[in-house]
Amino acid sequence: MKSEYFPKAIKGKIYDVMRIKGGSLYLNIHTDSGDDGISIRNSEKVFLEVKKGIFFKKLPHTNQCYVIKGDSIMYFDCSTFSKDDSIKIGEVKRWNPAITNQWVLKRKAK
């Protein structure tokens, strides 16, 4: 994920997934305001789980993304930033490592 994606919020259903040379994925997403796209960088395990038809969300001004499939949710950090990029961006919020990169049961709304 490039630094220009950092402030961006994006959510919607994934309609296309493309692998990018260098270990990234580019996601095309149907959003409320029209189609949009974002590139993400994470582990191969996460890439295997990010597929067409599932819901994707990237929170604004964070490095936090998640996907939802049925009653399960997978939290993951959208990318890793170089030291130089991290200095330019400021504090990069990440998910708690205990819940990342694995499917967990979604909590029901109370």
Side-chain angles (χ1 to χ4, degrees), residues 2-64:
K2 298 177 184 174
S3 59
E4 65 261 23
Y5 290 123
F6 185 70
K8 185 177 186 175
I10 186 170
K11 68 177 180 176
K13 192 174 274 192
I14 299 169
Y15 71 88
D16 196 16
V17 178
M18 294 176 284
R19 289 192 175 265
I20 300 172
K21 188 176 180 180
S24 296
L25 281 183
Y26 187 80
L27 307 177
N28 288 308
I29 299 169
H30 288 301
T31 67
D32 293 338
S33 59
D35 292 348
D36 205 346
I38 189 168
S39 60
I40 61 172
R41 178 182 291 274
N42 199 293
S43 71
E44 186 69 23
K45 179 181 177 187
V46 169
F47 287 174
L48 292 173
E49 300 298 333
V50 175
K51 298 182 179 176
K52 295 178 188 179
I54 63 176
F55 181 83
F56 170 88
K57 184 168 184 178
K58 185 221 171 276
L59 303 179
H61 302 286
T62 71
N63 190 37
Q64 297 170 310

Side-chain angles (χ1 to χ4, degrees), residues 45 66-76 96-107:
K45 179 181 177 187
Y66 62 85
V67 289
I68 297 175
K69 181 173 67 174
D71 63 353
S72 298
I73 186 167
M74 179 185 286
Y75 301 97
F76 61 94
N96 177 338
I99 64 166
T100 58
N101 299 346
Q102 60 188 321
W103 287 108
V104 294
L105 194 59
K106 283 191 311 187
R107 294 185 185 152

